[in-house]
Amino acid sequence: MIGLVDCNNFYVSCERVFQPRLEGVPVGVMSNNDGCVIARSNELKALGVEMGTPAFELQQWVNQGRIHLLSSNYELYGDMSARVREVLEEFSAGVEPYSIDEMFVLFDGFDAATTRQLARTLYRNVRQFTGIPVCVGVAPTRTLAKLANRAAKKLPEYGGTCVIPADGAETRRLLERTALGDVWGVGRRLVERLALQGIETAWDLRQADPKAIRRRFSVTLERTVRELQGMPCIELNDADRPRDRIMTSRSFGRHTGDLGELQEAIRQHAQRGAEKLRRQDSLARAILVFLKTNCHRSDLPQYSPSVVVELPEPTDDSRPILAAAHQGLEAIYRRGYQFMKGGVMLFDLVDANRQQLSLLDTPERAAQRDRDHQLMAALDELNQKMGHGTVRLGMPSQNAAWHLRCAHRTPRWTTNWLELPKGAT
């Protein structure tokens, strides 16, 4: 059996853990630069506010005190997600993160009664230990677990947990009342094509012939059919599997054409990319640097360049990576343009433990590599213990244009010493 633990209204729930005054009131979390709503409390949904609504359209309600809009606080959300995972790992060695607010949990070797009891225990303990409300769905496959979780969230009779077998009246009833578009991996266009075949519900899809589905559609949809029939066919990509390329970029808080500010932004992105590179034990052989103007501003001249800079040798050292990023920026920068975004991509990655060395390598060069590795390890350890950005190459200017707009960001309660919760004195 496989369980899916889904955090309810995750971003809003994280904010409410440290601000109980937000309980029961309409709350929304905005995207980068406070652009649009990307997370909504149930109360905000009840007011008819859709996902992606521009924040400026809701400003009147904010001014009237009817709703609360908060800037994204991703550092807090990431830490709270890690805390939820830690609670789950106390009950199962097989925890597979699917997204920041969803995690699969393996329930191997338990009978039905024990599985239901364990699901209820997870439901209670995550809320008790982290303050985050969750729903738990358990089934023989990941696709069915997704549907069980949806039932646990949407149908009051389940009380937040739903455990279903591969077959049985309860499973059939749930699949019959589930629209095809609510099945994991079935998009809008597939819904339209399947409707032409008379397949309109999850139960209809389960009853379809998998081989015929494969011939008419795809092997991916065939796996979905077999999963609905109770046969595990979908394996998640290993979250710890090294990525083939590492991209770090972000839209600026304000447009800027200042070379100094652009250098700061690219430097921050390059350092962040190098940290991710070391975390997955990879080395980069090349770096791409890019800038973008705002294509929606027809009144501004357009220029969105990029350049690839080859590194002298495969490396995860922040210093040569920053030097290459600086070289790339110098090559593509032009005066007279207002840029809205910039970034860095590290690619052509190799395994750090399988690096092919030169036949001309010397003991002195090997010793220097060891010292460089120790320096970067010490830098990462300090940042991990003392907070991200404690030690970095170059200090960013305050209030530079590339900084994100986050006028309504709450404190990073759990990860920043200067923003820890303070009690009354």
Side-chain angles (χ1 to χ4, degrees):
M1 299 289 276
I2 299 172
L4 177 64
V5 178
D6 182 15
C7 302
N8 300 338
N9 305 321
F10 181 59
Y11 290 177
V12 173
S13 295
C14 290
E15 300 287 355
R16 284 174 167 173
V17 169
F18 300 95
Q19 300 186 84
R21 65 182 180 83
L22 297 178
E23 290 285 351
V25 300
V27 180
V29 174
M30 295 177 286
S31 61
N32 287 342
N33 292 316
D34 297 344
C36 60
V37 175
I38 59 171
R40 304 163 295 161
S41 68
N42 290 334
E43 296 81 5
L44 192 63
K45 295 175 185 177
L47 292 177
V49 176
E50 299 291 338
M51 187 72 79
T53 300
F56 73 87
E57 294 184 3
L58 304 173
Q59 193 58 49
Q60 184 176 356
W61 284 2
V62 173
N63 295 339
Q64 295 172 352
R66 296 180 58 187
I67 66 174
H68 297 264
L69 293 183
L70 304 175
S71 301
S72 300
N73 192 344
Y74 293 119
E75 194 169 328
L76 172 66
Y77 308 151
D79 184 69
M80 294 301 290
S81 177
R83 291 168 186 254
V84 171
R85 180 175 179 175
E86 288 176 0
V87 174
L88 300 180
E89 287 176 341
E90 293 181 5
F91 295 88
S92 173
V95 178
E96 303 173 346
Y98 176 62
S99 65
I100 193 172
D101 61 344
E102 292 180 280
M103 301 178 194
F104 286 103
V105 183
L106 303 185
F107 287 83
D108 293 335
F110 298 108
D111 57 29
T114 304
T115 299
R116 292 180 184 277
Q117 182 180 359
L118 185 57
R120 294 300 303 176
T121 300
L122 289 179
Y123 173 78
R124 292 192 302 268
N125 284 17
V126 173
R127 180 62 183 266
Q128 179 182 352
F129 297 156
T130 69
I132 302 295
V134 300
C135 288
V136 182
V138 184
T141 70
R142 288 174 174 81
T143 302
L144 286 174
K146 273 273 193 178
L147 295 180
N149 184 278
R150 186 175 184 277
K153 180 178 294 187
K154 301 290 185 180
L155 304 178
E157 59 263 33
Y158 285 106
T161 63
C162 175
V163 180
I164 59 174
D167 296 297
E170 182 181 11
T171 302
R172 176 169 182 169
R173 185 167 59 251
L174 178 60
L175 295 179
E176 286 178 336
R177 63 196 299 187
T178 300
L180 199 55
D182 293 326
V183 176
W184 188 28
V186 179
R188 178 178 58 83
R189 292 190 177 182
L190 264 181
V191 170
E192 295 172 353
R193 293 177 60 194
L194 288 167
L196 298 176
Q197 307 294 322
I199 301 174
E200 298 181 350
T201 67
W203 177 255
D204 294 337
L205 186 59
R206 173 192 168 113
Q207 296 301 101
D209 178 15
K211 294 183 179 179
I213 289 293
R214 179 172 184 168
R215 287 194 302 269
R216 293 180 180 178
F217 297 94
S218 67
V219 65
T220 301
L221 190 59
E222 178 198 12
R223 293 194 187 107
T224 299
V225 173
R226 294 190 184 278
E227 286 251 329
L228 290 173
Q229 294 172 348
M231 182 185 305
C233 297
I234 298 176
E235 295 294 333
L236 293 183
N237 292 327
D238 187 354
D240 298 323
R241 181 177 63 85
R243 287 177 285 178
D244 298 328
R245 59 188 62 188
I246 294 175
M247 170 74 81
T248 51
S249 67
R250 187 170 289 170
S251 297
F252 302 152
R254 304 189 308 275
H255 292 179
T256 181
D258 183 81
L259 178 59
E261 292 187 333
L262 294 173
Q263 287 174 334
E264 289 184 4
I266 294 299
R267 184 172 64 228
Q268 298 303 312
H269 293 319
Q271 288 189 78
R272 183 62 177 148
E275 292 173 2
K276 295 178 180 179
L277 197 64
R278 294 191 290 271
R279 191 179 305 152
Q280 70 173 35
D281 284 333
S282 294
L283 306 175
R285 291 189 284 205
I287 178 173
L288 180 143
V289 181
F290 71 89
L291 296 171
K292 287 186 177 181
T293 51
N294 190 343
C295 63
H296 301 292
R297 289 287 302 274
S298 57
D299 58 317
L300 296 176
Q302 299 298 309
Y303 175 57
S304 298
S306 65
V307 66
V308 173
V309 180
E310 185 176 351
L311 293 163
E313 62 180 7
T315 184
D316 62 2
D317 192 317
S318 296
R319 294 168 297 174
I321 290 175
L322 262 63
H326 180 80
Q327 177 185 342
L329 178 62
E330 290 282 355
I332 63 177
Y333 173 74
R334 299 288 184 274
R335 294 182 180 275
Y337 296 95
Q338 294 294 308
F339 297 101
M340 64 163 290
K341 187 175 184 179
V344 167
M345 181 172 69
L346 302 173
F347 66 102
D348 201 4
L349 307 187
V350 296
D351 189 339
N353 300 312
R354 299 180 181 178
Q355 180 185 7
Q356 183 175 357
L357 301 177
S358 169
L359 292 174
L360 302 178
D361 206 30
T362 64
E364 291 78 11
R365 183 69 192 97
Q368 183 61 49
R369 271 198 306 272
D370 289 339
R371 289 193 293 271
D372 293 342
H373 177 75
Q374 292 173 14
L375 176 62
M376 291 298 107
L379 185 148
D380 292 339
E381 183 178 2
L382 285 170
N383 285 331
Q384 183 176 5
K385 287 183 177 180
M386 306 302 294
H388 177 67
T390 300
V391 181
R392 50 191 165 188
L393 302 178
M395 293 298 293
S397 303
Q398 296 295 324
N399 301 319
W402 60 270
H403 286 295
L404 284 177
R405 288 197 306 269
C406 48
H408 306 284
R409 181 180 61 78
T410 55
R412 292 161 290 186
W413 309 98
T414 62
T415 59
N416 190 301
W417 287 106
L418 301 179
E419 299 177 12
L420 293 175
K422 300 179 180 65
T425 58

